[in-house]
Amino acid sequence: MDKLLTINNLNVDFTLRSTTLRAVNNVSLSVNKSERLGIVGESGAGKSVLGFSIINLISKPGRIASGTVMLQGEEISSYTYEQMRQIRGNRISMIFQDPMMTLNPVLTIGEQMRETINAHASMSAADVDAICLEKLRKVYIPSPEKRLDQYPHEFSGGMRQRIIIAISLLTNPSLIIADEPTTALDVTIQAEIMDLLLELCETEHMGLILITHDLAVVSQVTQRIAVMYAGSIVEQGATEQLITNPQHPYTKGLLGALPQRASRDGRLNQIPGVMPGLAKIPEGCSFRNRCSLAADICLTQPVLEEKTSGSQVACHMVK
Amino acid sequence: MAFLRRIQRSDFIYYFFRDPVAYISFFILLALFVSAFAAPLIAPHNPYDPTTIDIMDSELPPVWSSEGSARFLLGTDDMGRDMLSTMLYGMRISIIIGLGAVFLQAAIGIVVGLLSGYIRRLDAILMRIADVQLSFSTYMIAIFIGATFQMMFGVANYEKIAAPLLIFIIGLAEWPQYARTVRASVLAERRKEYVEAARVIGLSRLRIMWRHILPNTLSPVLVISTVQVANAIMSEAALSFLGLGMPQNKPSLGSLITSGFEYIFSGTWWITIFPGILLVVLVLVINLLGDWIRDYLNPKLYKG
């Protein structure tokens, strides 16, 4: 199959005074053409850092320590700032969590959309406007001609997120990275936005990396899921497979913690303990302190390998 | 037209007309501006035209005193110029220097503030330059530059370039005010997600600074601009009072006050008092308006 994005052994380090913290630890991933991949994990698992490292925009003091990111066969992790600028917003778009914050309050949405196109292509003003209107219609904004001249505060939260999606579509990217795109929205709007993203990915043949902590959302939208824990991928596999037959104890714990799975009157299930901070990741398997299956062998680092179930799992105890 | 309609719809106009201090100040300021810039049309005499000035008319008191002349409403100065006309022309010079200096301050300060707020490598050096600049007082710089110019080019030449020079001096001395204000706002804005989004879109740094961050920092800039215009007018008056500002044949409000100051103890009070009152009113209404704009733009402070 055609590989759209390949990440090989990526390590992202944050250097704080004398200590170096590894936020993304030896991650390898790939996304096929028009494939939808979910990245799931708790807060602080390194999901967002991974997303930003793909477009090489990790905020200081973070940096890519080693590893490569390939986009359609080009090694974009070695690109210069200026070369990278031609990739961002053009071939890879990104959507953020809070639509209230990601639009500039003092520019009309028309200005913000035109700017995106003009940053990557030179075409006449009429053509630019035509593209803007076309994309606004794609995300079901009613009477887009009027809307172009309005400011972000004149839109509701759900509409703003749809406008942000429209902005990300402007340059017909081959990959969209959506970093918790529905977390700041209420539940009915969440479903609407996810349906829209799903529909657009299918009609526009775009790849999607959906970063979220919401298992229900990923299971509906994605074809494949990677579960992250403390900077590493602990399990990776087809969505159906991973949701119905989780292998790694952490994935099992996550799924078991869903409120639907708890008995009606009992307490909600939870994974004991909390995820360690980056400075306190235990040696060997990073999950072993919270794991009910932990044994002596867990003091050595498990590798991500294919198990009998068909998923890739990083655990000594899974056959 | 769309812009006008938007202003009309906004609550700016509504709050403006609910606050008597705001609209009274505004209309006084408007009247002062109009009469200053329309001085050649409305002033009864032309103080720059020596042929119309008669030394025999010098030091005439205002019209309501017994020795006053109906030709000179507010009396005349020591050279026989009509006080009212000279004040109107003088106010025009004061306002031009005030606005010009603030324009220069803002231009330098905004660029420096943006650069040091957004490009962290430049921050330390630019802000230390601003600190050094601030550690000299405006008057010290002005006296130094003004005196140097007078020595180098002679008093006669100095008079020709006095107005641009004053704009330059006052503008140069006060830009760190802008730089610091803009830098502080930029530091707050650059962390916001829309800046991140702009970077993700692939916009250039220059464009992010200019189009995305700058417009979001403009409200404090607007507020300090009003205060700075008032300050610049006062600085100019103070420099003129010290003899380093506008020359006597092209007087600003400050130089008028000085020229009358020599006569105040001989009973000719009007040459100093009238320009003084005008200066106070001008500066006061600008400051009151500035206060109102600050309150309006900061909902936390707004009492209405």
PDB file of all heavy atoms in Angstrom, chain A residues 57 85 88-89 94 96 101-102 104-106 111 115-116 119-120 151, chain B residues 6 193-194 196-197 199-205 207 211-212 215-216:
ATOM      1  N   LEU A  57       7.398  21.501  14.724  1.00  0.00           N
ATOM      2  CA  LEU A  57       7.065  22.750  15.413  1.00  0.00           C
ATOM      3  C   LEU A  57       6.976  22.521  16.928  1.00  0.00           C
ATOM      4  O   LEU A  57       6.074  23.006  17.579  1.00  0.00           O
ATOM      5  CB  LEU A  57       5.717  23.283  14.933  1.00  0.00           C
ATOM      6  CG  LEU A  57       5.728  24.374  13.880  1.00  0.00           C
ATOM      7  CD1 LEU A  57       4.330  24.903  13.658  1.00  0.00           C
ATOM      8  CD2 LEU A  57       6.656  25.501  14.230  1.00  0.00           C
ATOM      9  N   ARG A  85       8.107  25.392   6.020  1.00  0.00           N
ATOM     10  CA  ARG A  85       6.983  26.318   5.937  1.00  0.00           C
ATOM     11  C   ARG A  85       6.113  26.003   4.713  1.00  0.00           C
ATOM     12  O   ARG A  85       4.910  26.245   4.721  1.00  0.00           O
ATOM     13  CB  ARG A  85       7.538  27.743   5.839  1.00  0.00           C
ATOM     14  CG  ARG A  85       6.724  28.766   6.562  1.00  0.00           C
ATOM     15  CD  ARG A  85       7.570  29.919   7.026  1.00  0.00           C
ATOM     16  NE  ARG A  85       8.152  30.693   5.936  1.00  0.00           N
ATOM     17  CZ  ARG A  85       7.461  31.414   5.082  1.00  0.00           C
ATOM     18  NH1 ARG A  85       6.169  31.485   5.160  1.00  0.00           N
ATOM     19  NH2 ARG A  85       8.063  32.104   4.132  1.00  0.00           N
ATOM     20  N   ARG A  88       3.888  22.902   5.916  1.00  0.00           N
ATOM     21  CA  ARG A  88       2.851  23.204   6.901  1.00  0.00           C
ATOM     22  C   ARG A  88       1.691  23.957   6.267  1.00  0.00           C
ATOM     23  O   ARG A  88       1.898  24.910   5.531  1.00  0.00           O
ATOM     24  CB  ARG A  88       3.411  24.129   7.984  1.00  0.00           C
ATOM     25  CG  ARG A  88       4.411  23.486   8.858  1.00  0.00           C
ATOM     26  CD  ARG A  88       4.921  24.499   9.863  1.00  0.00           C
ATOM     27  NE  ARG A  88       6.175  24.040  10.399  1.00  0.00           N
ATOM     28  CZ  ARG A  88       7.237  24.802  10.599  1.00  0.00           C
ATOM     29  NH1 ARG A  88       7.195  26.081  10.313  1.00  0.00           N
ATOM     30  NH2 ARG A  88       8.333  24.288  11.072  1.00  0.00           N
ATOM     31  N   GLY A  89       0.509  23.544   6.598  1.00  0.00           N
ATOM     32  CA  GLY A  89      -0.672  24.244   6.104  1.00  0.00           C
ATOM     33  C   GLY A  89      -0.896  24.000   4.631  1.00  0.00           C
ATOM     34  O   GLY A  89      -1.878  24.433   4.062  1.00  0.00           O
ATOM     35  N   MET A  94      -3.169  21.173  10.335  1.00  0.00           N
ATOM     36  CA  MET A  94      -3.365  20.753  11.715  1.00  0.00           C
ATOM     37  C   MET A  94      -4.601  21.458  12.267  1.00  0.00           C
ATOM     38  O   MET A  94      -4.843  22.629  11.980  1.00  0.00           O
ATOM     39  CB  MET A  94      -2.130  21.116  12.524  1.00  0.00           C
ATOM     40  CG  MET A  94      -2.017  20.323  13.796  1.00  0.00           C
ATOM     41  SD  MET A  94      -0.312  20.240  14.362  1.00  0.00           S
ATOM     42  CE  MET A  94      -0.568  19.465  15.943  1.00  0.00           C
ATOM     43  N   PHE A  96      -6.689  22.258  15.920  1.00  0.00           N
ATOM     44  CA  PHE A  96      -6.435  22.231  17.358  1.00  0.00           C
ATOM     45  C   PHE A  96      -7.700  22.033  18.164  1.00  0.00           C
ATOM     46  O   PHE A  96      -8.821  22.085  17.670  1.00  0.00           O
ATOM     47  CB  PHE A  96      -5.787  23.528  17.817  1.00  0.00           C
ATOM     48  CG  PHE A  96      -4.417  23.714  17.276  1.00  0.00           C
ATOM     49  CD1 PHE A  96      -4.205  24.540  16.192  1.00  0.00           C
ATOM     50  CD2 PHE A  96      -3.353  23.059  17.847  1.00  0.00           C
ATOM     51  CE1 PHE A  96      -2.943  24.714  15.694  1.00  0.00           C
ATOM     52  CE2 PHE A  96      -2.098  23.225  17.347  1.00  0.00           C
ATOM     53  CZ  PHE A  96      -1.880  24.059  16.266  1.00  0.00           C
ATOM     54  N   MET A 101      -9.923  29.734  20.509  1.00  0.00           N
ATOM     55  CA  MET A 101      -8.607  30.358  20.625  1.00  0.00           C
ATOM     56  C   MET A 101      -7.815  30.359  19.324  1.00  0.00           C
ATOM     57  O   MET A 101      -6.888  31.135  19.173  1.00  0.00           O
ATOM     58  CB  MET A 101      -7.772  29.617  21.680  1.00  0.00           C
ATOM     59  CG  MET A 101      -8.411  29.512  23.036  1.00  0.00           C
ATOM     60  SD  MET A 101      -8.527  31.114  23.826  1.00  0.00           S
ATOM     61  CE  MET A 101      -6.782  31.434  24.096  1.00  0.00           C
ATOM     62  N   THR A 102      -8.164  29.466  18.387  1.00  0.00           N
ATOM     63  CA  THR A 102      -7.256  29.311  17.259  1.00  0.00           C
ATOM     64  C   THR A 102      -7.532  30.280  16.116  1.00  0.00           C
ATOM     65  O   THR A 102      -6.748  30.364  15.199  1.00  0.00           O
ATOM     66  CB  THR A 102      -7.283  27.877  16.705  1.00  0.00           C
ATOM     67  OG1 THR A 102      -8.619  27.414  16.763  1.00  0.00           O
ATOM     68  CG2 THR A 102      -6.403  26.984  17.498  1.00  0.00           C
ATOM     69  N   ASN A 104      -7.814  34.179  14.909  1.00  0.00           N
ATOM     70  CA  ASN A 104      -7.378  35.490  15.378  1.00  0.00           C
ATOM     71  C   ASN A 104      -8.592  36.405  15.532  1.00  0.00           C
ATOM     72  O   ASN A 104      -9.321  36.635  14.571  1.00  0.00           O
ATOM     73  CB  ASN A 104      -6.392  36.081  14.366  1.00  0.00           C
ATOM     74  CG  ASN A 104      -5.730  37.332  14.882  1.00  0.00           C
ATOM     75  OD1 ASN A 104      -6.294  38.042  15.716  1.00  0.00           O
ATOM     76  ND2 ASN A 104      -4.544  37.610  14.403  1.00  0.00           N
ATOM     77  N   PRO A 105      -8.820  36.941  16.749  1.00  0.00           N
ATOM     78  CA  PRO A 105     -10.048  37.710  16.994  1.00  0.00           C
ATOM     79  C   PRO A 105     -10.162  39.009  16.197  1.00  0.00           C
ATOM     80  O   PRO A 105     -11.264  39.499  16.022  1.00  0.00           O
ATOM     81  CB  PRO A 105      -9.997  37.987  18.495  1.00  0.00           C
ATOM     82  CG  PRO A 105      -8.574  37.821  18.884  1.00  0.00           C
ATOM     83  CD  PRO A 105      -8.024  36.782  17.968  1.00  0.00           C
ATOM     84  N   VAL A 106      -9.069  39.557  15.702  1.00  0.00           N
ATOM     85  CA  VAL A 106      -9.172  40.864  15.041  1.00  0.00           C
ATOM     86  C   VAL A 106      -9.192  40.775  13.519  1.00  0.00           C
ATOM     87  O   VAL A 106      -9.244  41.796  12.847  1.00  0.00           O
ATOM     88  CB  VAL A 106      -8.048  41.819  15.480  1.00  0.00           C
ATOM     89  CG1 VAL A 106      -8.088  42.037  16.971  1.00  0.00           C
ATOM     90  CG2 VAL A 106      -6.702  41.322  15.044  1.00  0.00           C
ATOM     91  N   GLU A 111     -10.286  37.059   5.724  1.00  0.00           N
ATOM     92  CA  GLU A 111      -8.877  37.441   5.690  1.00  0.00           C
ATOM     93  C   GLU A 111      -7.990  36.273   6.098  1.00  0.00           C
ATOM     94  O   GLU A 111      -6.938  36.026   5.508  1.00  0.00           O
ATOM     95  CB  GLU A 111      -8.637  38.635   6.626  1.00  0.00           C
ATOM     96  CG  GLU A 111      -9.189  39.934   6.095  1.00  0.00           C
ATOM     97  CD  GLU A 111      -9.184  41.047   7.134  1.00  0.00           C
ATOM     98  OE1 GLU A 111      -9.569  40.795   8.293  1.00  0.00           O
ATOM     99  OE2 GLU A 111      -8.795  42.164   6.788  1.00  0.00           O
ATOM    100  N   GLU A 115      -5.371  34.425   3.499  1.00  0.00           N
ATOM    101  CA  GLU A 115      -3.974  34.438   3.882  1.00  0.00           C
ATOM    102  C   GLU A 115      -3.334  33.060   3.756  1.00  0.00           C
ATOM    103  O   GLU A 115      -2.213  32.925   3.297  1.00  0.00           O
ATOM    104  CB  GLU A 115      -3.937  34.902   5.332  1.00  0.00           C
ATOM    105  CG  GLU A 115      -2.599  35.086   5.914  1.00  0.00           C
ATOM    106  CD  GLU A 115      -2.752  35.692   7.285  1.00  0.00           C
ATOM    107  OE1 GLU A 115      -3.321  35.048   8.175  1.00  0.00           O
ATOM    108  OE2 GLU A 115      -2.306  36.829   7.457  1.00  0.00           O
ATOM    109  N   THR A 116      -4.107  32.040   4.165  1.00  0.00           N
ATOM    110  CA  THR A 116      -3.583  30.676   4.092  1.00  0.00           C
ATOM    111  C   THR A 116      -3.287  30.287   2.645  1.00  0.00           C
ATOM    112  O   THR A 116      -2.241  29.722   2.344  1.00  0.00           O
ATOM    113  CB  THR A 116      -4.610  29.695   4.683  1.00  0.00           C
ATOM    114  OG1 THR A 116      -4.982  30.167   5.974  1.00  0.00           O
ATOM    115  CG2 THR A 116      -4.031  28.317   4.784  1.00  0.00           C
ATOM    116  N   ALA A 119      -0.316  32.180   1.228  1.00  0.00           N
ATOM    117  CA  ALA A 119       0.989  31.768   1.757  1.00  0.00           C
ATOM    118  C   ALA A 119       1.577  30.636   0.923  1.00  0.00           C
ATOM    119  O   ALA A 119       2.777  30.405   0.945  1.00  0.00           O
ATOM    120  CB  ALA A 119       0.859  31.346   3.220  1.00  0.00           C
ATOM    121  N   HIS A 120       0.734  29.914   0.188  1.00  0.00           N
ATOM    122  CA  HIS A 120       1.228  28.725  -0.498  1.00  0.00           C
ATOM    123  C   HIS A 120       1.030  28.736  -2.005  1.00  0.00           C
ATOM    124  O   HIS A 120       1.551  27.883  -2.697  1.00  0.00           O
ATOM    125  CB  HIS A 120       0.559  27.476   0.085  1.00  0.00           C
ATOM    126  CG  HIS A 120       0.873  27.280   1.527  1.00  0.00           C
ATOM    127  ND1 HIS A 120       2.127  26.959   1.961  1.00  0.00           N
ATOM    128  CD2 HIS A 120       0.126  27.405   2.643  1.00  0.00           C
ATOM    129  CE1 HIS A 120       2.138  26.871   3.280  1.00  0.00           C
ATOM    130  NE2 HIS A 120       0.931  27.140   3.716  1.00  0.00           N
ATOM    131  N   TYR A 151     -16.355  38.409  11.819  1.00  0.00           N
ATOM    132  CA  TYR A 151     -15.250  38.136  12.731  1.00  0.00           C
ATOM    133  C   TYR A 151     -15.544  36.862  13.538  1.00  0.00           C
ATOM    134  O   TYR A 151     -16.712  36.492  13.706  1.00  0.00           O
ATOM    135  CB  TYR A 151     -15.059  39.326  13.674  1.00  0.00           C
ATOM    136  CG  TYR A 151     -14.446  40.495  12.966  1.00  0.00           C
ATOM    137  CD1 TYR A 151     -15.236  41.432  12.312  1.00  0.00           C
ATOM    138  CD2 TYR A 151     -13.060  40.639  12.917  1.00  0.00           C
ATOM    139  CE1 TYR A 151     -14.664  42.487  11.633  1.00  0.00           C
ATOM    140  CE2 TYR A 151     -12.481  41.688  12.243  1.00  0.00           C
ATOM    141  CZ  TYR A 151     -13.296  42.609  11.603  1.00  0.00           C
ATOM    142  OH  TYR A 151     -12.715  43.641  10.933  1.00  0.00           O
TER     143      TYR A 151
ATOM    144  N   ARG B   6     -20.485  50.058  10.878  1.00  0.00           N
ATOM    145  CA  ARG B   6     -20.072  49.218  11.996  1.00  0.00           C
ATOM    146  C   ARG B   6     -19.826  50.075  13.241  1.00  0.00           C
ATOM    147  O   ARG B   6     -20.148  49.687  14.358  1.00  0.00           O
ATOM    148  CB  ARG B   6     -18.824  48.435  11.626  1.00  0.00           C
ATOM    149  CG  ARG B   6     -18.844  47.089  12.269  1.00  0.00           C
ATOM    150  CD  ARG B   6     -17.919  46.108  11.611  1.00  0.00           C
ATOM    151  NE  ARG B   6     -16.556  46.529  11.662  1.00  0.00           N
ATOM    152  CZ  ARG B   6     -15.692  46.307  10.679  1.00  0.00           C
ATOM    153  NH1 ARG B   6     -16.076  45.710   9.593  1.00  0.00           N
ATOM    154  NH2 ARG B   6     -14.448  46.688  10.788  1.00  0.00           N
ATOM    155  N   GLU B 193      -3.184  30.489  21.078  1.00  0.00           N
ATOM    156  CA  GLU B 193      -3.238  29.423  20.090  1.00  0.00           C
ATOM    157  C   GLU B 193      -3.364  29.926  18.663  1.00  0.00           C
ATOM    158  O   GLU B 193      -2.957  29.249  17.732  1.00  0.00           O
ATOM    159  CB  GLU B 193      -4.401  28.479  20.407  1.00  0.00           C
ATOM    160  CG  GLU B 193      -4.078  27.552  21.549  1.00  0.00           C
ATOM    161  CD  GLU B 193      -5.127  26.474  21.715  1.00  0.00           C
ATOM    162  OE1 GLU B 193      -5.753  26.118  20.712  1.00  0.00           O
ATOM    163  OE2 GLU B 193      -5.320  26.009  22.848  1.00  0.00           O
ATOM    164  N   TYR B 194      -3.925  31.135  18.496  1.00  0.00           N
ATOM    165  CA  TYR B 194      -4.057  31.578  17.109  1.00  0.00           C
ATOM    166  C   TYR B 194      -2.696  31.851  16.487  1.00  0.00           C
ATOM    167  O   TYR B 194      -2.526  31.731  15.271  1.00  0.00           O
ATOM    168  CB  TYR B 194      -4.987  32.800  16.994  1.00  0.00           C
ATOM    169  CG  TYR B 194      -4.450  34.075  17.553  1.00  0.00           C
ATOM    170  CD1 TYR B 194      -3.618  34.877  16.790  1.00  0.00           C
ATOM    171  CD2 TYR B 194      -4.773  34.490  18.828  1.00  0.00           C
ATOM    172  CE1 TYR B 194      -3.120  36.056  17.295  1.00  0.00           C
ATOM    173  CE2 TYR B 194      -4.290  35.660  19.342  1.00  0.00           C
ATOM    174  CZ  TYR B 194      -3.460  36.443  18.571  1.00  0.00           C
ATOM    175  OH  TYR B 194      -2.963  37.609  19.069  1.00  0.00           O
ATOM    176  N   GLU B 196      -0.004  30.033  17.276  1.00  0.00           N
ATOM    177  CA  GLU B 196       0.427  28.674  16.961  1.00  0.00           C
ATOM    178  C   GLU B 196      -0.219  28.216  15.649  1.00  0.00           C
ATOM    179  O   GLU B 196       0.433  27.657  14.776  1.00  0.00           O
ATOM    180  CB  GLU B 196       0.003  27.753  18.094  1.00  0.00           C
ATOM    181  CG  GLU B 196       0.576  26.370  18.010  1.00  0.00           C
ATOM    182  CD  GLU B 196       1.419  26.066  19.227  1.00  0.00           C
ATOM    183  OE1 GLU B 196       0.896  26.127  20.351  1.00  0.00           O
ATOM    184  OE2 GLU B 196       2.610  25.798  19.039  1.00  0.00           O
ATOM    185  N   ALA B 197      -1.529  28.487  15.541  1.00  0.00           N
ATOM    186  CA  ALA B 197      -2.249  28.091  14.331  1.00  0.00           C
ATOM    187  C   ALA B 197      -1.648  28.762  13.104  1.00  0.00           C
ATOM    188  O   ALA B 197      -1.509  28.148  12.057  1.00  0.00           O
ATOM    189  CB  ALA B 197      -3.733  28.435  14.467  1.00  0.00           C
ATOM    190  N   ARG B 199       1.391  29.665  12.736  1.00  0.00           N
ATOM    191  CA  ARG B 199       2.660  29.016  12.416  1.00  0.00           C
ATOM    192  C   ARG B 199       2.412  27.681  11.721  1.00  0.00           C
ATOM    193  O   ARG B 199       3.117  27.304  10.788  1.00  0.00           O
ATOM    194  CB  ARG B 199       3.471  28.780  13.693  1.00  0.00           C
ATOM    195  CG  ARG B 199       3.921  30.072  14.331  1.00  0.00           C
ATOM    196  CD  ARG B 199       5.151  29.859  15.167  1.00  0.00           C
ATOM    197  NE  ARG B 199       4.886  28.991  16.303  1.00  0.00           N
ATOM    198  CZ  ARG B 199       5.817  28.244  16.884  1.00  0.00           C
ATOM    199  NH1 ARG B 199       7.042  28.266  16.430  1.00  0.00           N
ATOM    200  NH2 ARG B 199       5.504  27.508  17.912  1.00  0.00           N
ATOM    201  N   VAL B 200       1.381  26.973  12.190  1.00  0.00           N
ATOM    202  CA  VAL B 200       1.063  25.678  11.601  1.00  0.00           C
ATOM    203  C   VAL B 200       0.625  25.834  10.145  1.00  0.00           C
ATOM    204  O   VAL B 200       0.885  24.981   9.309  1.00  0.00           O
ATOM    205  CB  VAL B 200      -0.031  24.983  12.437  1.00  0.00           C
ATOM    206  CG1 VAL B 200      -0.641  23.830  11.685  1.00  0.00           C
ATOM    207  CG2 VAL B 200       0.563  24.489  13.741  1.00  0.00           C
ATOM    208  N   ILE B 201      -0.036  26.954   9.853  1.00  0.00           N
ATOM    209  CA  ILE B 201      -0.467  27.216   8.480  1.00  0.00           C
ATOM    210  C   ILE B 201       0.736  27.442   7.577  1.00  0.00           C
ATOM    211  O   ILE B 201       0.655  27.261   6.369  1.00  0.00           O
ATOM    212  CB  ILE B 201      -1.416  28.443   8.463  1.00  0.00           C
ATOM    213  CG1 ILE B 201      -2.785  28.041   8.988  1.00  0.00           C
ATOM    214  CG2 ILE B 201      -1.558  29.025   7.071  1.00  0.00           C
ATOM    215  CD1 ILE B 201      -3.684  29.205   9.239  1.00  0.00           C
ATOM    216  N   GLY B 202       1.864  27.817   8.179  1.00  0.00           N
ATOM    217  CA  GLY B 202       3.069  28.020   7.382  1.00  0.00           C
ATOM    218  C   GLY B 202       3.303  29.469   7.020  1.00  0.00           C
ATOM    219  O   GLY B 202       3.997  29.764   6.049  1.00  0.00           O
ATOM    220  N   LEU B 203       2.731  30.398   7.784  1.00  0.00           N
ATOM    221  CA  LEU B 203       2.963  31.815   7.503  1.00  0.00           C
ATOM    222  C   LEU B 203       4.371  32.200   7.942  1.00  0.00           C
ATOM    223  O   LEU B 203       4.936  31.603   8.856  1.00  0.00           O
ATOM    224  CB  LEU B 203       1.941  32.673   8.249  1.00  0.00           C
ATOM    225  CG  LEU B 203       0.477  32.426   7.895  1.00  0.00           C
ATOM    226  CD1 LEU B 203      -0.408  33.373   8.663  1.00  0.00           C
ATOM    227  CD2 LEU B 203       0.254  32.608   6.407  1.00  0.00           C
ATOM    228  N   SER B 204       4.903  33.251   7.297  1.00  0.00           N
ATOM    229  CA  SER B 204       6.242  33.683   7.673  1.00  0.00           C
ATOM    230  C   SER B 204       6.190  34.434   8.995  1.00  0.00           C
ATOM    231  O   SER B 204       5.150  34.952   9.390  1.00  0.00           O
ATOM    232  CB  SER B 204       6.825  34.578   6.588  1.00  0.00           C
ATOM    233  OG  SER B 204       6.126  35.792   6.559  1.00  0.00           O
ATOM    234  N   ARG B 205       7.340  34.508   9.661  1.00  0.00           N
ATOM    235  CA  ARG B 205       7.397  35.165  10.956  1.00  0.00           C
ATOM    236  C   ARG B 205       6.988  36.629  10.870  1.00  0.00           C
ATOM    237  O   ARG B 205       6.295  37.145  11.722  1.00  0.00           O
ATOM    238  CB  ARG B 205       8.824  35.079  11.503  1.00  0.00           C
ATOM    239  CG  ARG B 205       8.966  33.948  12.496  1.00  0.00           C
ATOM    240  CD  ARG B 205      10.307  34.007  13.124  1.00  0.00           C
ATOM    241  NE  ARG B 205      11.283  33.348  12.264  1.00  0.00           N
ATOM    242  CZ  ARG B 205      12.464  32.924  12.702  1.00  0.00           C
ATOM    243  NH1 ARG B 205      12.796  33.097  13.955  1.00  0.00           N
ATOM    244  NH2 ARG B 205      13.295  32.337  11.884  1.00  0.00           N
ATOM    245  N   ARG B 207       5.009  38.006   8.773  1.00  0.00           N
ATOM    246  CA  ARG B 207       3.573  38.129   8.583  1.00  0.00           C
ATOM    247  C   ARG B 207       2.824  37.858   9.879  1.00  0.00           C
ATOM    248  O   ARG B 207       1.841  38.521  10.206  1.00  0.00           O
ATOM    249  CB  ARG B 207       3.131  37.144   7.495  1.00  0.00           C
ATOM    250  CG  ARG B 207       1.743  37.436   7.024  1.00  0.00           C
ATOM    251  CD  ARG B 207       1.413  36.753   5.730  1.00  0.00           C
ATOM    252  NE  ARG B 207       0.027  37.064   5.432  1.00  0.00           N
ATOM    253  CZ  ARG B 207      -0.361  38.164   4.815  1.00  0.00           C
ATOM    254  NH1 ARG B 207       0.539  39.033   4.402  1.00  0.00           N
ATOM    255  NH2 ARG B 207      -1.628  38.411   4.596  1.00  0.00           N
ATOM    256  N   ARG B 211       0.617  40.910  10.940  1.00  0.00           N
ATOM    257  CA  ARG B 211      -0.816  40.778  10.688  1.00  0.00           C
ATOM    258  C   ARG B 211      -1.572  40.160  11.845  1.00  0.00           C
ATOM    259  O   ARG B 211      -2.748  40.429  12.045  1.00  0.00           O
ATOM    260  CB  ARG B 211      -1.040  39.907   9.447  1.00  0.00           C
ATOM    261  CG  ARG B 211      -0.859  40.648   8.171  1.00  0.00           C
ATOM    262  CD  ARG B 211      -2.140  41.304   7.752  1.00  0.00           C
ATOM    263  NE  ARG B 211      -3.090  40.344   7.206  1.00  0.00           N
ATOM    264  CZ  ARG B 211      -4.307  40.672   6.842  1.00  0.00           C
ATOM    265  NH1 ARG B 211      -4.714  41.906   6.999  1.00  0.00           N
ATOM    266  NH2 ARG B 211      -5.111  39.765   6.354  1.00  0.00           N
ATOM    267  N   HIS B 212      -0.912  39.288  12.596  1.00  0.00           N
ATOM    268  CA  HIS B 212      -1.654  38.567  13.627  1.00  0.00           C
ATOM    269  C   HIS B 212      -1.421  39.140  15.013  1.00  0.00           C
ATOM    270  O   HIS B 212      -2.347  39.298  15.778  1.00  0.00           O
ATOM    271  CB  HIS B 212      -1.303  37.084  13.595  1.00  0.00           C
ATOM    272  CG  HIS B 212      -1.901  36.371  12.418  1.00  0.00           C
ATOM    273  ND1 HIS B 212      -3.004  35.593  12.520  1.00  0.00           N
ATOM    274  CD2 HIS B 212      -1.557  36.387  11.124  1.00  0.00           C
ATOM    275  CE1 HIS B 212      -3.323  35.132  11.315  1.00  0.00           C
ATOM    276  NE2 HIS B 212      -2.454  35.599  10.460  1.00  0.00           N
ATOM    277  N   PRO B 215      -2.088  43.722  15.471  1.00  0.00           N
ATOM    278  CA  PRO B 215      -3.444  44.251  15.690  1.00  0.00           C
ATOM    279  C   PRO B 215      -4.007  43.903  17.064  1.00  0.00           C
ATOM    280  O   PRO B 215      -4.804  44.656  17.609  1.00  0.00           O
ATOM    281  CB  PRO B 215      -4.269  43.572  14.596  1.00  0.00           C
ATOM    282  CG  PRO B 215      -3.302  43.188  13.562  1.00  0.00           C
ATOM    283  CD  PRO B 215      -2.039  42.857  14.278  1.00  0.00           C
ATOM    284  N   ASN B 216      -3.558  42.792  17.644  1.00  0.00           N
ATOM    285  CA  ASN B 216      -4.048  42.411  18.958  1.00  0.00           C
ATOM    286  C   ASN B 216      -3.379  43.177  20.089  1.00  0.00           C
ATOM    287  O   ASN B 216      -3.757  43.039  21.244  1.00  0.00           O
ATOM    288  CB  ASN B 216      -3.851  40.906  19.175  1.00  0.00           C
ATOM    289  CG  ASN B 216      -4.933  40.111  18.479  1.00  0.00           C
ATOM    290  OD1 ASN B 216      -6.096  40.215  18.820  1.00  0.00           O
ATOM    291  ND2 ASN B 216      -4.552  39.345  17.477  1.00  0.00           N
TER     292      ASN B 216
END
